[in-house]
Amino acid sequence: MFLVLTNLVLVLLFLITSSPCFAQQTGNGSVVALFAFGDSILDTGNNNNLLSGSKCNYPPYGKDFPGGRATGRWGNGRVFSEVLAEAVGVKTFLPPYLDPALPTGELPTGVCFASGGSGLDTATSSATQSIPMREQLRYFQDYIGKLKGLVGEEKANSILANSLALISAGNNDMGIGRLASGRAVIGVDGYADLLMTFATDFVTQLYNFGVRKVAFMSAIPGGCTPAGRAATGGLGCAGPNPFDGASVYNTKLAGTMQALNSKLSGADIVYLDVYTPLLRISQNPLSYGN
């Protein structure tokens, strides 16, 4: 599994670092902070203290994390945002903002606001008892206040302008929220359109807070996940599936991010296609070392 994950990370790193987001660098020529928003793909432990069943701060999670500790990260070790943060020279671990023991020294280089089970649709978070992305923005606003108190307003504004916001969203919306919220009646296409209004608002809010570099990850091929495979009797990525709306969502997301990139002056917004490499890995695991 390590080889598969490493291959995916390399693909994503290439997509990000070859974009104008890095070619048109500002300030000291580097990304100085990284912020993660969205769902379990990026959550590093914000759900630990929630009254929710959406948690993973217990074994066997974390078995490959330093010390073999289950920290609330949704995987064996570090999550992708942390691998990316290290790759761009920011930090090795991206702490959850809701950690009651969060050192103030971590604030200038970025923190994680993502919550496992969350989605663009508030109804999704209600179904999964996770932190809505709207609430994640409120935490980010609170973070900015703390950052300004720590380093001063001018320095804080510089950090925000030279930071990278990484977003993973849409997975739980298409797989859970659409059905649990009763919005299935508007169809996959109609629901994806609704999510685009939420995505537009979210990125615009980040921009208004001073963030200029945004990388928005596509939804993953949910039909290839354990839950997706179970829905088709173990057939994997093929067949009718309640998780198969990702491709519709992703097409709209790519266009939405491109439009925002043109609309918001000085913004550098990147759409990251993680769907395609994950689908290829799932369908041809032997080609990727597993």
Side-chain angles (χ1 to χ4, degrees):
M1 183 61 188
F2 175 76
L3 291 177
V4 173
L5 178 60
T6 300
N7 185 280
L8 175 61
V9 168
L10 290 175
V11 170
L12 296 181
L13 287 176
F14 172 78
L15 286 170
I16 294 177
T17 56
S18 62
S19 76
C21 189
F22 286 80
Q24 299 173 359
Q25 294 171 340
T26 59
N28 63 3
S30 64
V31 171
V32 300
L34 190 144
F35 306 111
F37 300 90
D39 54 31
S40 60
I41 291 177
L42 303 179
D43 186 2
T44 56
N46 281 311
N47 280 18
N48 288 352
N49 296 312
L50 297 184
L51 295 175
S52 169
S54 298
K55 297 182 181 182
C56 52
N57 54 346
Y58 52 85
Y61 293 105
K63 67 178 184 179
D64 296 322
F65 193 79
R69 296 181 296 113
T71 61
R73 288 166 171 82
W74 297 68
N76 292 349
R78 293 188 300 159
V79 297
F80 170 65
S81 54
E82 295 177 305
V83 177
L84 176 59
E86 183 177 33
V88 298
V90 173
K91 62 203 314 179
T92 302
F93 303 102
L94 195 67
Y97 184 64
L98 296 185
D99 181 356
L102 176 67
T104 57
E106 294 281 3
L107 298 182
T109 50
V111 290
C112 172
F113 300 91
S115 171
S118 186
L120 290 163
D121 189 349
T122 301
T124 300
S125 293
S126 296
T128 59
Q129 297 178 300
S130 58
I131 304 169
M133 292 187 67
R134 184 181 304 170
E135 185 71 14
Q136 293 178 31
L137 278 178
R138 284 196 282 268
Y139 282 128
F140 185 55
Q141 188 173 18
D142 178 71
Y143 158 85
I144 292 174
K146 291 181 179 179
L147 181 65
K148 289 181 177 179
L150 182 66
V151 302
E153 184 167 359
E154 182 177 355
K155 178 63 175 178
N157 290 338
S158 176
I159 289 173
L160 293 172
N162 291 284
S163 66
L164 173 65
L166 181 65
I167 306 168
S168 172
N171 299 294
N172 297 310
D173 295 306
M174 300 305 295
I176 300 173
R178 184 176 67 90
L179 304 176
S181 67
R183 287 176 169 153
V185 294
I186 64 176
V188 171
D189 193 75
Y191 187 58
D193 283 336
L194 178 62
L195 294 180
M196 291 308 103
T197 65
F198 299 147
T200 297
D201 181 65
F202 190 89
V203 174
T204 301
Q205 289 278 11
L206 287 177
Y207 177 86
N208 291 339
F209 284 140
V211 176
R212 293 295 179 265
K213 300 177 177 67
V214 178
F216 207 124
M217 299 168 64
S218 71
I220 65 174
C224 300
T225 65
R229 291 174 183 271
T232 57
L235 294 178
C237 304
N241 195 298
F243 296 85
D244 65 4
S247 58
V248 175
Y249 166 86
N250 290 339
T251 298
K252 294 179 183 294
L253 183 64
T256 297
M257 292 303 108
Q258 183 178 16
L260 275 175
N261 196 53
S262 299
K263 177 182 178 181
L264 300 177
S265 177
D268 199 339
I269 302 169
V270 180
Y271 166 78
L272 295 180
D273 177 16
V274 299
Y275 180 96
T276 301
L278 274 175
L279 183 63
R280 290 173 178 168
I281 290 170
S282 297
Q283 293 178 329
N284 302 286
L286 294 180
S287 298
Y288 296 89
N290 191 5

